[in-house]
């Protein structure tokens, strides 16, 4: 199911659990192969899994997940 990136929210504890990482490798993979794994979303359009994908897609200018 396609979801608009602009409606998704980062889970509030994500930054406490994970440190920022370089997204260059993931961005290249998304450009080359497309989105292979879904972003997992829970109630309120909050991202449960896939924060790096979300950030990389935004950097690439994508508007929706696939």
């Amino acid at each position: 199911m396609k979801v608009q990136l602009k409606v998704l929210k980062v889970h509030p504890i994500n930054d406490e659990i994970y440190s920022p990482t370089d997204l260059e490798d993931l961005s290249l993979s998304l450009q080359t192969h497309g989105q292979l794994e879904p972003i997992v979303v829970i109630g309120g359009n909050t991202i449960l899994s896939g924060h790096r994908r979300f950030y990389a897609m935004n950097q690439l200018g994508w508007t929706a997940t696939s």
Side-chain angles (χ1 to χ4, degrees):
M1 174 167 83
K2 285 198 173 202
V3 177
Q4 296 296 308
L5 292 177
K6 65 183 177 184
V7 303
L8 297 179
K9 300 176 204 156
V10 175
H11 197 283
I13 65 168
N14 184 69
D15 290 337
E16 295 174 26
I17 297 171
Y18 301 103
S19 59
T21 61
D22 180 23
L23 299 174
E24 187 175 341
D25 59 333
L26 181 55
S27 295
L28 180 59
S29 175
L30 286 167
Q31 289 176 313
T32 305
H33 306 290
Q35 183 183 353
L36 301 177
E37 294 287 330
I39 294 175
V40 178
V41 179
I42 58 174
N45 290 322
T46 302
I47 300 169
L48 181 62
S49 176
H51 290 84
R52 288 185 73 235
R53 275 169 269 152
F54 170 75
Y55 291 132
M57 289 174 182
N58 275 305
Q59 283 184 352
L60 291 170
W62 291 18
T63 58
T65 70
S66 54

